Amino acid sequence: MRRSTLWRRASGAALLATAVCAARLAGQAACTPQRADTLPLVMTGVTLWDGTGNPGRPGTTIVVTGERITAVFPDGSRPLPPAATVRALTGKFVIPGLIDGHTHVAGQPSGEDNHERTARRLCRALLGGITAIRDMAGDVRTLASLQRDALVGDLASPDIFYSALWAGPAFFSDPRTADASAGAAPGSFPWMRAVDEQTDLRQAVAEARGSGATALKLYQAMSPALVARIAAEGRRQGLELWAHAAMRAVKPSEMAAAGIGTVSHAFLLLYELTPEEMAQVRTSVATRLRRSSATSASERLFATYRRHGTVLEPTLFIMQDDTSGTRMRVASYLSRRAHAAGVPLLAGTDSLGSGNADGEAQPNLHAELELLVTNAGLTPAEALLAATRTGARVLGRERVPRHPRK
Ligand SMILES: [Zn+2]
């Protein structure tokens, strides 16, 4: 992956902001976990972009003690703490750690996602400025272990938030569900469960919560009515609700109306449109679409999203896999329309980055940020918000402090 313009612009900042941990790891050849120094680290002269939507603050001093930011103030307005390591970083930016809103790091824990490759992938993400990931289905036994190791510092990794995947019974012949369900029949674990109209949702949601999941991810073979009932019970018990933007039997507007908070893959918004409109979108160039009938259908959809507070995760990076270019063209167009209509976009890759020993070192989120600018019409600052503030919101962490650490 080539380094993007956006990455060059933000790189120093991202590394510095990835708590001190990543910055200190960056100088090491190997991804060995390392405790943060207890002596304060002081950065002076930086422009602080804090991810709240405020403009950057030039001439700022930041004091980091251990793993915590302990003071932020204008340069020279306070004495520096004694025995501190001081780095003059005039001209550099500091931004919050980034969130990749769509990963799969434990889909095949005994194969592709074996421990060695996963550890390498997570470490590269951390060194690339990513401090949290939203995992969108895998073996939760492995995810919980990785989450724990990341939390206590045994693994150089972003914080890990994961989902419990629920779908209709028909879905569980998919071989991926067997990969993530070793030891039991696919669909029988609380975190990879087959549900239908007879499922005791109160009990099932409680079990999903018990697996440590942040959210339910609803996936295939469900009716709109069942999606709505699950979403209501999930929300009642404090879980977030995530899903693809459409299922075969559930249209994008029905997903939002049912209470799904975050929907993935902008390409799937096509399922809101009539067959004639879909054909038109597939074959037209974006400039012509502005006057097409598809525009009014997508505008109605985005008004529904705004009403329900739905977040759209385009996953433009993974659309590059479609060599015909159709998916990218459609996803880019619909993402651009959604952004212009005021729908919040979440930055997520569906592909964190290589875990191969000789693989690319940069996480794919950098390319996703660039695509959000070039293809979806976001400004660089809006793209960074899609990977910071909106990511925190989707994880239910917008206002909750980070896990307390010793
Ligand atoms: Zn995915």
Side-chain angles (χ1 to χ4, degrees), residues 102 104 136 217 244 265 350:
H102 197 131
H104 297 276
M136 292 297 279
K217 178 184 179 183
H244 278 192
H265 309 310
D350 208 356

Side-chain angles (χ1 to χ4, degrees), residues 235-292:
R235 204 166 33 249
R236 194 184 70 78
Q237 295 198 36
L239 289 177
E240 304 295 325
L241 277 304
W242 304 335
H244 278 192
M247 297 181 196
R248 216 157 282 159
V250 192
K251 291 193 339 184
S253 58
E254 292 173 322
M255 300 290 268
I260 303 299
T262 306
V263 297
S264 298
H265 309 310
F267 174 74
L268 294 171
L269 300 179
L270 272 181
Y271 290 102
E272 191 70 19
L273 310 181
T274 63
E276 298 74 35
E277 288 168 335
M278 282 171 64
Q280 196 179 2
V281 172
R282 281 207 172 97
T283 54
S284 301
V285 295
T287 47
R288 281 178 53 204
L289 286 169
R290 287 179 204 291
R291 287 181 292 281
S292 75

Side-chain angles (χ1 to χ4, degrees), residues 96-344:
L98 302 172
I99 299 167
D100 188 333
H102 197 131
T103 69
H104 297 276
V105 300
Q108 272 192 320
S110 307
E112 271 287 288
D113 301 330
N114 67 69
H115 190 76
E116 188 186 333
R117 295 184 79 243
T118 299
R120 208 180 283 128
R121 183 180 287 137
L122 290 167
C123 180
R124 283 177 182 157
L126 184 65
L127 297 184
I130 297 174
T131 52
I133 61 172
R134 180 175 78 127
D135 199 89
M136 292 297 279
D139 191 322
V140 157
R141 294 165 296 189
T142 299
L143 287 164
S145 170
L146 292 170
Q147 181 190 59
R148 180 263 173 207
D149 288 354
L151 190 65
V152 300
D154 286 354
L155 182 70
S157 165
D159 284 340
I160 296 170
F161 299 85
Y162 54 83
S163 54
L165 181 135
W166 286 13
F171 172 65
F172 287 89
S173 57
D174 187 309
R176 292 174 298 174
T177 64
D179 285 336
S181 303
S188 63
F189 281 120
W191 39 265
M192 192 149 288
R193 180 188 284 277
V195 290
D196 60 19
E197 316 295 336
Q198 276 67 55
T199 303
D200 178 348
L201 293 182
R202 194 175 175 150
Q203 174 73 17
V205 170
E207 290 177 11
R209 282 189 66 198
S211 75
T214 296
L216 294 176
K217 178 184 179 183
L218 305 189
Y219 195 85
Q220 301 299 353
M222 293 182 189
S223 68
L226 182 58
V227 169
R229 282 180 52 219
I230 293 170
E233 182 59 25
R235 204 166 33 249
R236 194 184 70 78
Q237 295 198 36
L239 289 177
E240 304 295 325
L241 277 304
W242 304 335
H244 278 192
M247 297 181 196
R248 216 157 282 159
V250 192
K251 291 193 339 184
S253 58
E254 292 173 322
M255 300 290 268
I260 303 299
T262 306
V263 297
S264 298
H265 309 310
F267 174 74
L268 294 171
L269 300 179
L270 272 181
Y271 290 102
E272 191 70 19
L273 310 181
T274 63
E276 298 74 35
E277 288 168 335
M278 282 171 64
Q280 196 179 2
V281 172
R282 281 207 172 97
T283 54
S284 301
V285 295
T287 47
R288 281 178 53 204
L289 286 169
R290 287 179 204 291
R291 287 181 292 281
S292 75
S293 57
T295 300
S296 60
S298 59
E299 277 171 3
R300 277 198 300 278
L301 173 64
F302 298 139
T304 305
Y305 277 16
R306 275 205 313 277
R307 207 163 49 247
H308 293 282
T310 313
V311 174
L312 172 64
E313 184 202 29
T315 63
L316 297 175
F317 177 81
I318 205 75
M319 297 296 132
Q320 296 173 126
D321 288 358
D322 170 26
T323 50
S324 76
T326 304
R327 285 190 173 214
M328 180 63 93
R329 198 164 62 242
V330 171
S332 298
Y333 171 72
L334 288 165
S335 301
R336 187 176 283 267
R337 299 295 311 180
H339 175 61
V343 174

